Amino acid sequence: MGLRIGDTGSSMNAALLTTNLGDIPLTARGKVRDLYAVGDELLFIATDRISAFDHVLGSGIPDKGRILTQLSHFWFDLLADTVPNHLLAAPSPELLAKIAPYRSQIDGRSMIVRRAEMFPVECVVRGYISGSGWKDYRATGSVCGIGLPAGLRESDKLPEPIFTPAAKINTGGHDENISYAAMVEAIGAEYAAELRRLTLSIYAKASEHAASKGLILADTKFEFGLVNGKIVLADEVLTPDSSRYWPAASYAPGGPQPSFDKQYVRDYLESIRWNKQAPAPSLPEEVIDKTREKYLEAFRLITGRLDLDEPADIPAP
Ligand code: PZK
C-alpha cells in the first residue's frame, strides 16, 4: 500500500526547506536540491523548496521533493533501454550507517548516485519554441545557431525537435545558450555528437509517453557525466523543475502557455507586485495547497500511480 497523498489538514507533512546531515559533507546546495558526498557515492536530496522568478521562496510545497524524486525514478526506469543512468542499485553499508540518524530528511526524496565526471553543458531539447528559445528566435531568427522557419509564433511546435545546448553559469545566473560548435570546442566532437544523439532519442521516448497521457513535453534539459569512461544520464530527469509540460487540451500557440505547476505561484507574486528582489515572499496557504495539487496531478498523470512510495525507499541498515 502506497503512502496516501492528496490528503489535507493534519495528515499533511510539513515542508522540508533545508537539510542538515551533521558531519556528512555537503557538496552542493542548489536552489531546490542538496547534494552530499559519502566517498564515491552521492546523496541527492530534493527538498520542498520552490523557486519562481529566479528566487527561492519563503514557503515550501509539502511533498514536492518526494514527488519530483519519484518522477525522476519513473523516467530513469522508462529510459533504461535508451540510456544508462547514475543511480546506484544498492547503497554501501558504509553509506547506510552514516545516514541512519538522518533518515527522516532523506526517505522518499533522495537518490543515491555514482559520482560522475560531469560534462560542463546542459543538454536542452526543444520540440516547441518557448522561453529563451523564443527570445533568441525573435532576436535572431535562430536558436543556438539553428536556423528556423520564418513566421513561428510563441509556443509553436517546431518542424522537428532541436538540440540547443547551454553553458552552465555557476553564479546563480541563467545558463547561456551556445552553438553546437561551442559545445564541440568544450567537450570534443565525439562526446558532443553522442550527447546530442542521446538527448534527442530520450526526448522522442519521453514526449511520446507524455503525449499518451495528454501532456505536451515542450522542452527539457539533461545533464550527463562519465562513470568509468561511460556516458550516463545524471541529475534529475523530466521533472516539472527541469521541463516544460503543457496540458494538450488547452494548448494555444500564439503566446506563452501557463506553467503546469507554478502558475498559481506566479499569479500570486504578480498580484502582490513583488519587485523580484530578495527577500522572496512566503505564499498563502491556498497557493501552497493548489500548487501541491498540480505537482500531484503531474505525478499521477505521468506515472499512472495515485500514491507516492512508502518513505522507506532505501533499505534499512
Ligand atoms: C552533480 N550537480 C548539480 C547542484 C544538487 C545537484 N552523478 C554526479 N556526480 C557528480 N556530480 C554531480 C552528479 C549528478 N547528478 C550534480 N552538481 C554536481 C546539483 C546542487 C544540488 F542536488
Side-chain angles (χ1 to χ4, degrees), residues 28-30 33-35 42 44 86 113-116 118 234-235:
R29 182 162 271 157
R33 283 100 38 81
D34 295 344
L35 185 60
L42 298 179
F44 236 96
H86 66 157
V113 307
R114 288 172 213 274
R115 186 188 293 278
M118 300 299 287
D235 206 84

Side-chain angles (χ1 to χ4, degrees), residues 50-185:
I50 184 171
S51 68
F53 302 122
D54 293 332
H55 292 259
V56 177
L57 304 182
S59 309
I61 307 296
D63 292 326
K64 174 175 182 275
R66 295 198 303 131
I67 293 166
L68 268 55
T69 296
Q70 292 184 30
L71 261 177
S72 277
H73 277 288
F74 169 86
W75 284 115
F76 278 129
D77 266 5
L78 191 91
L79 296 166
D81 296 341
T82 304
V83 60
N85 62 60
H86 66 157
L87 295 178
L88 264 175
S92 67
E94 292 78 13
L95 179 138
L96 287 173
K98 282 200 173 129
I99 68 173
Y102 308 110
R103 292 289 288 263
S104 66
Q105 297 176 62
I106 294 171
D107 287 349
R109 60 172 73 250
S110 65
M111 300 190 294
I112 296 164
V113 307
R114 288 172 213 274
R115 186 188 293 278
E117 208 184 317
M118 300 299 287
F119 290 104
V121 279
E122 303 269 1
C123 293
V124 180
V125 53
R126 302 168 192 271
Y128 294 74
I129 185 111
S130 175
S132 71
W134 171 245
K135 227 172 112 189
D136 289 352
Y137 171 75
R138 275 220 305 204
T140 69
S142 60
V143 185
C144 296
I146 301 168
L148 294 172
L152 290 176
R153 296 162 300 170
E154 184 172 10
S155 308
D156 261 335
K157 185 173 190 178
L158 295 169
E160 60 188 348
I162 56 173
F163 177 68
T164 60
K168 295 181 201 176
I169 311 262
N170 288 320
T171 51
H174 276 163
D175 299 333
E176 183 196 359
N177 288 342
I178 58 171
S179 66
Y180 184 71
M183 178 175 176
V184 167
E185 191 70 24

Side-chain angles (χ1 to χ4, degrees), residues 14-18 31-32 47-62 64 262 265 268-269 272 274 276-285 287-288:
L16 178 74
L17 283 184
T18 190
K31 283 209 179 93
V32 172
T47 70
D48 296 329
R49 297 194 292 267
I50 184 171
S51 68
F53 302 122
D54 293 332
H55 292 259
V56 177
L57 304 182
S59 309
I61 307 296
K64 174 175 182 275
K262 289 185 180 169
V265 173
Y268 171 73
L269 295 172
I272 62 167
W274 173 44
K276 296 169 192 172
Q277 310 289 313
S282 296
L283 301 171
E285 203 166 278
V287 174
I288 293 173

Side-chain angles (χ1 to χ4, degrees), residues 198-279:
L198 284 167
T199 296
L200 290 168
S201 77
I202 295 166
Y203 178 77
K205 178 128 194 197
S207 57
E208 181 185 23
H209 177 79
S212 78
K213 307 297 183 180
L215 292 172
I216 293 170
L217 176 60
D219 56 44
T220 189
K221 70 173 172 196
F222 302 116
E223 291 202 33
F224 294 92
L226 289 173
V227 173
N228 300 326
K230 294 258 186 282
I231 296 173
V232 297
L233 179 59
D235 206 84
E236 64 176 349
V237 284
L238 294 156
T239 67
D241 278 5
S242 69
S243 316
R244 279 191 186 86
Y245 287 101
W246 298 331
S250 54
Y251 171 59
Q257 305 303 293
S259 163
F260 189 93
D261 48 317
K262 289 185 180 169
Q263 199 58 44
Y264 290 114
V265 173
R266 291 185 186 156
D267 289 350
Y268 171 73
L269 295 172
E270 299 286 11
S271 80
I272 62 167
R273 306 190 159 244
W274 173 44
N275 63 4
K276 296 169 192 172
Q277 310 289 313

